[in-house]
Amino acid sequence: MSDASAAPVIVWFRQDLRVADNPALAHAARMGRPVVPLYILDDQTAGPWAPGGASRWWLHHSLSALGGALCDLGAPLVLRHGRADVALRTLVREVGADAVVWNRCYEPHAIARDSALKADLKADGIAVDTFNAALLAEPWTVKTGSGGPYKVFTPFWRCVREGLEPGPPLPAPTRLTAPAAPPAGDRLADWALLPTRPDWAGGLRDHWTPGERDATRRLTDFLAHAVDRYPEGRDYPAQPLTSRLSPHLHFGEISPRQIWAATEGRGGIGVESFQRELGWREFCHHLLYHFPFLPEQPLNPRFEAFAWDGNAGHLAAWQRGRTGYPIVDAGMRELWTTGWMHNRVRMIVGSFLVKHLLLPWTAGQAWFWDTLVDADLANNAASWQWIAGCGADAAPYFRVFNPVLQGEKFDARGEYVRRWVPELAGLPDRVLHQPWMADPVTLRAAGVRLGHDYPHPIVDHKAARQRALDTFAAIKDDNG
């Protein structure tokens, strides 16, 4: 039983917006004191990596769901905004707390902020306990034989698997006690996280339900209906064979330990392939922890001399899904409408940006940061560097995806393109992925006027590929 007269403990929520398998919350509940759950909207400390538009939409609904769950447990969620160190210390004084707990974050700005705040609180006599709630293995625990960080995924994942003992997920507390006089907080609506005019979030609402409950439902449905076909089916964007758990994982509505517990022991190559994707997420966080410059600078320093193009018109065409390459445009329109993009298509549109258009990977990273509901600093930076050829274990820069062949291979019947590029829906499969090859009769029959209803390609594939290879050869020659 909780002693309502005891000094309360503050549980600072961040990227762990759930009540089950939440080590910080479970620890606070075991302390037998009043609990003050807290979320701080801290855009100042995050700087350029404050949540983008799609992430803010998700955050609003995720906090609403978490607030409801905590109210049901007996301890309302307190919302504050501003610098996290200031807001947290203010609340400590207001409620007379003598303990603060949180689950660790791994972004460079969060590590710096949390380390300083932890030291300050302890200097003031406040007990601070922190926990791992976001990763199967924390970045500093996985080392090469020489004691350094891994830069290649396969040996990294092998090392993690060999030492993995995540333990069972923690149950949600059955009851929490709030202080006799709960502190005041902001109204979620006053944070204006949702778009107003124009309201561009209709597609997000149609495709997503943020919150712990839907995260659990998605995992259950995926394991019941899709995981056995995942190894092959995950490459075909028209097929619903991916888990779509990435935003739920980023916001901590479900933990990797919960996913691991649900999959371990099932066996089969589908489960192994899916678990390997959890491993890639772990690898990205490993890289960001050991190389905190990852979102701004190439891991391979040779690429600092790369002669990127600065064509703003090409960037805008890519962002709007108006490149003239149907599989690329379908992906970019899916992203804008739903806040998400199929992983195979992410590789295609990423390769097109950095290799066909010679636009810097940081431009793609920034657009994804604003438009993805699963925008995650570690995954976003590491994956963009991978596709650009300048990161860890990267795809070679000279591997240039042919967007026509990619479309014909992974969307052979055109279901994906016809959904997201409906102006081309009437074209036959043989020219759907290269409409410029259709004869005038076929175009008229499909109601397509190239240059009016749908653009001509903004670059020629063969010429763009050669330009990319020549540009790469220049830095290769300069650096030996």
Side-chain angles (χ1 to χ4, degrees):
M1 290 226 12
S2 296
D3 180 359
S5 64
V9 55
I10 294 173
V11 181
W12 182 18
F13 284 85
R14 294 105 68 78
Q15 294 170 7
D16 54 347
L17 306 183
R18 63 183 185 272
V19 296
D21 198 37
N22 188 315
L25 182 64
H27 180 80
R30 289 194 300 267
M31 292 174 73
R33 304 189 192 175
V35 173
V36 180
L38 169 69
Y39 185 89
I40 304 168
L41 182 65
D42 178 7
D43 287 337
Q44 298 176 46
T45 302
W49 304 117
S55 292
R56 294 173 92 82
W57 176 88
W58 190 287
L59 177 62
H60 174 97
H61 294 290
S62 189
L63 287 173
S64 178
L66 176 65
L70 289 168
C71 273
D72 290 343
L73 292 175
L77 178 64
V78 177
L79 301 177
R80 297 285 174 93
H81 70 278
R83 284 186 58 95
D85 50 357
V86 175
L88 181 54
R89 289 169 66 90
T90 298
L91 186 62
V92 167
R93 291 192 299 270
E94 285 181 18
V95 302
D98 65 0
V100 179
V101 295
W102 65 71
N103 296 310
R104 290 185 280 275
C105 295
Y106 303 91
E107 295 82 0
H109 66 268
I111 292 173
R113 175 197 64 196
D114 296 351
S115 298
L117 182 53
K118 184 175 183 179
D120 289 346
L121 289 169
K122 287 190 169 184
D124 290 343
I126 308 298
V128 180
D129 287 293
T130 66
F131 304 88
N132 171 24
L135 298 173
L136 294 172
E138 293 188 286
W140 55 86
T141 66
V142 186
K143 300 177 182 179
T144 65
S146 61
Y150 282 93
K151 289 188 179 181
V152 179
F153 171 69
T154 298
F156 166 84
W157 184 228
R158 186 185 306 118
C159 179
V160 171
R161 287 296 308 261
E162 288 173 355
L164 192 59
E165 295 180 4
L170 300 168
T174 55
R175 186 69 184 165
L176 300 172
T177 299
D186 298 343
R187 292 177 62 249
L188 182 57
D190 291 341
W191 282 1
L193 298 173
L194 302 178
T196 51
R197 299 179 190 173
D199 179 5
W200 44 260
L204 274 63
R205 289 192 294 270
D206 291 343
H207 287 83
W208 301 102
T209 303
E212 185 173 5
R213 180 179 300 175
D214 201 64
T216 303
R217 179 194 64 77
R218 280 193 184 275
L219 175 61
T220 301
D221 288 351
F222 173 72
L223 294 179
H225 304 297
V227 72
D228 292 338
R229 293 179 290 163
Y230 180 73
E232 299 81 21
R234 63 194 284 268
D235 274 326
Y236 296 89
Q239 299 183 24
L241 296 177
T242 59
S243 72
R244 295 171 69 93
L245 283 168
S246 51
H248 298 288
L249 269 167
H250 170 70
F251 285 93
E253 298 167 350
I254 194 168
S255 73
R257 182 162 61 177
Q258 288 172 302
I259 295 174
W260 193 263
T263 56
E264 190 69 347
R266 288 178 59 106
I269 60 172
V271 166
E272 291 178 11
S273 180
F274 180 54
Q275 289 179 334
R276 189 175 173 87
E277 292 306 305
L278 275 183
W280 176 258
R281 178 178 179 271
E282 298 278 321
F283 184 53
C284 293
H285 281 82
H286 179 81
L287 292 173
L288 181 62
Y289 177 81
H290 289 287
F291 307 100
F293 58 82
L294 197 68
E296 290 89 20
Q297 301 173 34
L299 194 59
N300 182 344
R302 170 186 297 175
F303 279 81
E304 293 176 3
F306 196 91
W308 298 109
D309 197 346
N311 191 316
H314 281 178
L315 178 60
W318 179 81
Q319 291 171 337
R320 295 196 305 265
R322 300 284 296 172
T323 69
Y325 287 90
I327 192 71
V328 174
D329 295 339
M332 298 308 294
R333 296 184 195 186
E334 179 187 29
L335 171 61
W336 180 253
T337 303
T338 72
W340 186 84
M341 189 192 299
H342 188 276
N343 186 62
R344 163 59 58 175
V345 186
R346 293 189 197 203
M347 291 190 286
I348 296 170
V349 305
S351 176
F352 189 86
L353 181 78
V354 299
K355 297 175 183 179
H356 283 77
L357 304 183
L358 275 195
L359 288 166
W361 60 270
T362 50
Q365 177 187 238
W367 185 250
F368 274 27
W369 184 258
D370 192 45
T371 54
L372 280 173
V373 291
D374 64 5
D376 181 278
L377 191 60
N379 283 35
N380 202 28
S383 296
W384 270 102
Q385 289 219 33
W386 182 87
I387 198 66
C390 60
D393 203 8
Y397 186 84
F398 53 79
R399 182 188 181 196
V400 181
F401 282 148
N402 182 326
V404 174
L405 296 182
Q406 289 287 309
E408 290 175 345
K409 180 176 182 179
F410 297 109
D411 189 34
R413 293 187 294 179
E415 297 166 277
Y416 181 72
V417 162
R418 288 188 174 93
R419 178 177 184 184
W420 296 110
V421 191
E423 61 267 40
L424 299 181
L427 286 175
D429 292 348
R430 59 184 171 80
V431 292
L432 179 63
H433 293 288
Q434 45 183 341
W436 59 90
M437 296 299 292
D439 61 76
V441 174
T442 300
L443 289 172
R444 275 198 303 274
V448 176
R449 295 175 301 161
L450 290 180
H452 296 274
D453 308 303
Y454 186 72
H456 293 285
I458 60 174
V459 292
D460 173 75
H461 166 67
K462 185 176 180 181
R465 179 180 182 275
Q466 190 59 51
R467 182 177 70 147
L469 296 179
D470 292 344
T471 307
F472 174 66
I475 65 166
K476 190 176 181 182
D477 292 343
D478 288 346
N479 290 272

